[in-house]
Amino acid sequence: MKNFLSVSNPNKYEIFISNLLKRQKFIAGKDLVKFLKETFPIRDDNARKIIQRAVAEGYLHSSSPLTFGNGQFVYLKPTVSLTYDIVMQICKANRPPLYRLMAALDDNDGVLSYFEASKITASPDEQTSSKVNTTNQLINQLVKLEFVYEKADDNGVRYILERQLQNDVGEEQRRMAVHYNKMIMDCMFIPDILRWLKKSNIVDNTMFLYRNKKTPGVGAEQNGLIWDALAYTKTTGINPIVGAKADSIEKQSFVPLDIVISRPYDQLDLDGFYNRIQIVLNAVKEGKRKVLPIVIYRSASELVLNRLAKLGFIAFDIASIFGSKIHEVIDKVGQIYIGYESSEVNLGTTVASILNTLQAAGQEENLTDLKGILFEYLMYPLLKTLYPNAEIIHGKTLTEKKADGQKEYYEYDYIIKSSNPKEMLIVELKGYSAHANIPVGDSNTKNTLRWFFRRTLPFAQKWFKKEIEEGAHFAGTFMTSAGFYDNGHEFLARLSKTKIKPKKLEIGYDGEDLLALLDANDFEKIKKTIERFYSKPD
């Protein structure tokens, strides 16, 4: 690249371009064409040829192959390179989705999940009939520039990472783990939030789709776009059709939710949410799509809150739903999730403290899903004592791609890989009230005995075929603080005579059996916690 002063005979156009780039580092192609036409009596095609010659002569250089909006290039002065910061500056005005992706990477310590990239860029996972870039296309632009690379963690979550992390595996793994924990926190309260919205008559309960804490990288998909959660509402006042007559989805309002708990809800989140909603609204060929956007946040700036209000979006501080004590609960749950495998966190004490806070705040009924999650953590010390040298995996999702291309997957509370005894043990946990009963059900009905023993357990058995062939005994157990119906006890009794009974444990434990097991292994504090918060009357 060279400056026009080094050329013996620069023409008036090249002098104009060089002077223009003395005042700014870069300029969009459409703006450069505009300035040339305003200054000289030329047409568009003449202006484009002048720019091509100026590039060839070294008076400026092109952003090719990277384009910015409608396929246009950006032109830079010869001394300016396409650095990360320069590309961000260019994208802010000329390619906002790519700007939001890069800014979000900066804000999240150089790591961003593919799921969050899809949300923030408002880009579809697959190509549609529109000209909107897919998430992959946006990421590939940054990969080509060698700004980022992609990697999946052991949980199967896909990340975009800033290039400098590629040579430091330890730091790369640490940052992915920290980010994964934040994703879990964002998902953890979604079922209880949806239950509260239903109870408040804001949404209907027939069409809930949402991110699950065991698969935080998988969102609810609608219109080719990704959401934290989505629902529908028949509530009169939002929808011009009377609620009782809104008997189909087409007559109901679409309710997309944007939920951020692990960090402040910021302008990038709002811009991505707003743009996804605009795509939904513009997708309707006739009439108008009825949409009720809802944002759930832990904290947000006044600027963002004011913009939410101006847009007419409903926004709830999570404390307005679950009370001010929820902030203390979130912090303690975060401590548990990050440190439940270490000796630094006393699970029994910490979980009891959270449950006590929920009880004192009168929020136990509103946070029943969280109580179930806490029950899972309470069981970890017991399982670790029974299987001290085993690998114990919490909250694992196993996935299989079927012949038709669809994915089948199931979530597992604990998977225990034990060498003594040599066993692959699947543990199903249900932290319900002692006055509830788990039905036998069938293999198509979730939260039943047959769903676990006839559906998800056989799926896991196929998944661990190699370990079984190498001599591992495959087994499963169902533990609950609730009870079983008589036919449930009979069902478990029959199963206990089969090969899937664990070597160290029974095939199933109801509330009384579980308390006895805790007592036999000297977990007095955890036993008392279950008696107080799970074994009391409703």
Side-chain angles (χ1 to χ4, degrees), residues 110-209:
V111 179
L112 196 68
S113 70
Y114 182 89
F115 167 81
E116 288 159 311
S118 296
K119 275 181 50 181
I120 285 175
T121 59
S123 55
D125 193 39
E126 297 180 358
Q127 190 67 59
T128 64
S129 57
S130 72
K131 295 181 180 179
V132 176
N133 286 126
T134 65
T135 308
N136 280 325
Q137 287 171 332
L138 292 172
I139 294 169
N140 286 339
Q141 293 276 18
L142 300 182
V143 171
K144 286 178 182 177
L145 289 167
E146 299 187 348
F147 291 158
V148 304
Y149 65 102
E150 295 181 78
K151 190 164 187 176
D153 65 11
D154 293 337
N155 300 297
V157 175
R158 182 177 164 192
Y159 298 93
I160 306 105
L161 302 99
E162 289 185 351
R163 177 65 66 177
Q164 57 264 37
L165 290 173
Q166 199 164 22
N167 298 321
D168 190 340
V169 177
E171 183 62 14
E172 172 195 77
Q173 294 297 319
R174 185 193 71 79
R175 292 198 198 180
M176 285 197 297
V178 169
H179 198 81
Y180 183 80
N181 291 338
K182 290 180 179 179
M183 294 174 71
I184 294 291
M185 185 60 68
D186 286 335
C187 296
M188 195 168 285
F189 296 89
I190 293 179
D192 289 322
I193 288 168
L194 289 170
R195 194 176 296 111
W196 179 84
L197 289 170
K198 165 58 183 169
K199 186 178 178 181
S200 303
N201 199 34
I202 295 173
V203 301
D204 187 46
N205 68 341
T206 57
M207 276 292 291
F208 282 166
L209 291 175

Side-chain angles (χ1 to χ4, degrees), residues 80-99:
V80 175
S81 301
L82 276 176
T83 64
Y84 193 92
D85 289 340
I86 290 293
V87 172
M88 261 186 76
Q89 289 178 47
I90 296 170
C91 288
K92 190 168 186 178
N94 298 284
R95 205 165 179 187
L98 200 54
Y99 165 77

Side-chain angles (χ1 to χ4, degrees), residues 13 17 29-38 40-54 75:
Y13 306 116
I17 290 171
K30 63 178 181 180
D31 293 331
L32 184 51
V33 167
K34 177 186 172 186
F35 289 143
L36 283 167
K37 286 175 61 183
E38 288 176 349
F40 305 101
I42 57 175
R43 300 190 306 271
D44 281 16
D45 56 338
N46 298 131
R48 284 191 286 272
K49 287 178 181 177
I50 288 167
I51 294 170
Q52 289 172 5
R53 182 178 182 276
Y75 297 94

Side-chain angles (χ1 to χ4, degrees), residues 461-512:
Q461 189 170 16
K462 288 190 295 181
W463 181 269
F464 293 112
K465 181 181 178 182
K466 180 182 176 182
E467 287 82 353
I468 295 168
E469 289 176 346
E470 292 174 350
H473 173 238
F474 184 81
T477 185
F478 194 113
M479 296 180 168
T480 180
S481 52
F484 300 120
Y485 291 105
D486 289 343
N487 63 346
H489 286 291
E490 293 167 3
F491 176 73
L492 291 170
R494 292 194 298 273
L495 286 178
S496 67
K497 297 175 183 177
T498 66
K499 292 181 179 180
I500 63 168
K501 179 187 177 298
K503 293 181 179 180
K504 281 188 175 183
L505 294 169
E506 298 299 326
I507 196 84
Y509 292 84
D510 63 12
E512 289 185 10

Side-chain angles (χ1 to χ4, degrees), residues 347-357 378 525 529 532-533:
L347 279 174
T349 300
T350 307
V351 171
S353 174
I354 294 171
L355 291 167
N356 188 61
T357 300
L378 276 174
K525 189 169 185 62
T529 298
R532 179 180 174 188
F533 296 105

Side-chain angles (χ1 to χ4, degrees), residues 400-408:
E400 182 181 272
K401 195 168 184 179
K402 294 156 63 172
D404 60 3
Q406 297 295 312
K407 288 183 179 180
E408 184 178 5

